[in-house]
Amino acid sequence: MKRIFYSLLIAAVILPGATAHLQARDRKPKTSKTVQAAEPVRNVILMIGDGMGQNPVKLARVHAKLNMDAMPVKGELQTNNVFDKTTDSAAAATALACGVKTYNGALGLDKDKKPVESSAALAKKAGYKVGLLTTVTFNHATPAGFYAHVEKRSEYAKIASQAYASNYDLIMGYGVSGLKEAVAAEDAEKAGLQVFNKNQDAFFALNAILKPTLVFKHFGYEMNRPKTDDTSRTLNEYATEAVELLAVEKPTVITRNPGYGTPVRDAVRPLNEYTAKAIELLYKDNPKGFFLMVEGGKIDLGGHSNDTYAMMTELLEFDQAVARALEFYKKHPEDTLIVVTADHNTGGLTLPEKLSADLPAEIAENNTNFNGRKFSFKKDETIQSIEEKLAKLGIRNLTAAEKESFVKILKSNSKNKIDALNRNALRIADARIGITWTTKGHTPHNVYIFAIGKGAEQFSGVQPNSNVGRIMKSFYEKK
């Protein structure tokens, strides 16, 4: 049954006729990069998959025909920081937003700690509407790279205050870091912002943005997932369900249940719905144009936890947000640019040499077996009881290294011992189907970049990630 959904997904996920329509439109002759950069681009949508390395994208292509692949211009970005070391999200955000490489931890500062303006800030000064949307907190590294100037990304209170002072038309995030939500809401309102942090429906009922607006609370921007008692459905079903949302009049709301991180009790709408609403509000009654940054921030969390299933669900939902952006592009192709990329690769996902069509079902089955809901180890396990339980789930003949990994957890004083045992079992189960991870941190590998629309050809080839910020700033700098 799970394999049936794979064939259905191929037909459903990609926007109808998107590839042929979009590629045909972009076969027009291009002017030079210098001329193109000098021409105004009315609407710019920059979409960043946090931690979305090349291998996660390759694996996602087995799950679905990706909307980002419909974009005709493709290239790669070099992600290392100013010292040619593996970047963190702050240094990468500064490069993508401000056009300069810097040291890890810095936001909106160059290597000498001097403030550098972002493309978003320049767009606002030039009279464009500006929006930032993220699936993590609004004062987290990636969105903060577009408005903050701090030496350390952990300066959350200072970053939040700079968000309020940015005068951006719309900032949306999944909660707030380092501050109580009530305090953040009060501070933002005192700064003159319209705040939505209790009822997402009130935000979706907005017809226009009349003053700077902040939307944040743990009602998330996630892909559709089942309720907590339903762990049987496949990734393919989730992706298909996300596509079906494109056609419904009133978006479906469901309970978020990611299988990792802190559970969220509120009903949520997926990232693609927030993206569509942001575009609607920024475009309406706006002759000048807009700049919108959309981040799929929780792809990164799946990578850090080496959770293949979590990373894929987040990446597939991020791609549905790309679909909503492409819908807008189809209506306004002459004055819109969409760029999709990543800030860095997280986890060092390693794939089997041959990517089988069975992988989506196998990944989903492993998640169902070892996500801690259908099955879970107990605190008093022994290596013998672990081997017996794993054998019943098809994981037999543990290697010496695999046994030792369990023994290490059993001997630890971790308060999360059960979770660690479950995750270790999931890691081993994934390894048995050829999926492994090299780290729980970031890696220095290049990431993909996709582009379509006015000036898209500037993003082809292999180039430093700081070129993205440099090129986009050129749209708004005084000539």
Side-chain angles (χ1 to χ4, degrees), residues 51 53-54 79-80 85-88 300 304 343-349 437-447:
Q54 293 191 22
T79 63
N80 278 359
K85 302 294 184 182
T86 300
T87 191
D88 76 337
D300 182 64
H304 280 300
D343 53 354
H344 52 72
N345 177 58
T346 303
L349 177 67
W437 302 79
T438 62
T439 179
K440 290 197 173 182
H442 299 171
T443 77
H445 298 97
N446 290 1
V447 296

Side-chain angles (χ1 to χ4, degrees), residues 81-391:
N81 66 19
V82 71
F83 300 115
D84 201 30
K85 302 294 184 182
T86 300
T87 191
D88 76 337
S89 291
T94 301
L96 293 171
C98 304
V100 298
K101 285 185 176 287
T102 190
Y103 61 91
N104 286 357
L107 287 166
L109 304 177
D110 66 15
K111 62 181 178 63
D112 299 316
K113 301 184 179 181
K114 295 180 180 179
V116 186
E117 284 193 298
S118 71
S119 51
L122 289 174
K124 188 60 186 175
K125 285 184 177 181
Y128 294 78
K129 288 187 178 180
V130 173
L132 306 177
L133 165 60
T134 178
T135 60
V136 291
T137 56
F138 73 83
N139 56 343
H140 209 260
T142 300
F146 290 82
Y147 62 78
H149 305 282
V150 296
E151 294 182 14
K152 297 179 180 179
R153 57 182 290 183
S154 58
E155 298 178 77
Y156 292 123
K158 187 175 182 180
I159 293 171
S161 67
Q162 292 183 17
Y164 313 147
S166 69
N167 201 37
Y168 291 174
D169 299 88
L170 183 61
I171 297 178
M172 298 191 286
Y174 187 78
V176 58
S177 293
L179 295 168
K180 291 183 178 180
E181 288 188 1
V183 172
E186 183 179 355
D187 290 345
E189 288 174 343
K190 286 181 179 178
L193 278 70
Q194 177 177 219
V195 177
F196 295 90
N197 74 314
K198 295 180 180 179
N199 185 350
Q200 63 178 342
D201 292 333
F203 167 70
F204 275 87
L206 274 184
N207 291 318
I209 297 176
L210 301 179
K211 64 178 181 178
T213 299
L214 174 66
V215 185
F216 76 100
K217 192 180 184 295
H218 287 168
F219 44 54
Y221 313 102
E222 309 297 325
M223 154 167 232
N224 286 302
R225 295 186 176 86
K227 293 183 178 180
T228 54
D229 59 351
D230 180 2
T231 60
S232 62
R233 301 168 67 198
T234 68
L235 285 175
N236 292 352
E237 289 179 89
Y238 296 146
T240 302
E241 192 173 78
V243 173
E244 290 169 351
L245 278 179
L246 302 182
V248 299
E249 183 176 350
K250 184 178 180 181
T252 302
V253 290
I254 52 85
T255 301
R256 178 176 181 267
N257 180 30
Y260 66 98
T262 303
V264 176
R265 298 180 177 86
D266 298 312
V268 304
R269 297 185 189 225
L271 173 62
N272 75 77
E273 287 298 330
Y274 276 88
T275 300
K277 186 63 179 180
I279 292 173
E280 172 198 326
L281 291 173
L282 294 173
Y283 179 75
K284 187 175 183 180
D285 300 325
N286 178 15
K288 187 78 173 181
F290 66 81
F291 175 93
L292 173 65
M293 189 284 294
V294 178
E295 183 198 17
K298 287 186 167 63
I299 301 170
D300 182 64
L301 296 187
H304 280 300
S305 61
N306 292 175
D307 189 328
T308 312
Y309 184 86
M311 175 173 266
M312 286 300 100
T313 55
E314 298 296 340
L315 199 158
L316 288 171
E317 167 52 17
F318 175 70
D319 190 62
Q320 288 308 309
V322 174
R324 300 311 280 267
L326 289 174
E327 283 185 328
F328 177 80
Y329 169 81
K330 288 172 66 177
K331 298 175 183 177
H332 310 280
E334 303 302 327
D335 51 12
T336 300
L337 169 67
I338 302 174
V339 175
V340 179
T341 190
D343 53 354
H344 52 72
N345 177 58
T346 303
L349 177 67
T350 303
L351 302 175
E353 186 174 342
K354 182 179 179 181
L355 295 177
S356 167
D358 294 331
L359 269 179
E362 292 171 336
I363 291 170
E365 183 177 5
N366 284 347
N367 177 72
T368 299
N369 286 340
F370 302 107
N371 62 13
R373 295 190 293 275
K374 179 180 178 181
F375 161 86
S376 180
F377 291 109
K378 298 179 180 179
K379 289 183 178 180
D380 59 351
E381 299 286 356
T382 64
I383 189 62
Q384 290 77 22
S385 67
I386 287 174
E387 286 187 280
E388 290 173 2
K389 291 181 177 180
L390 289 178

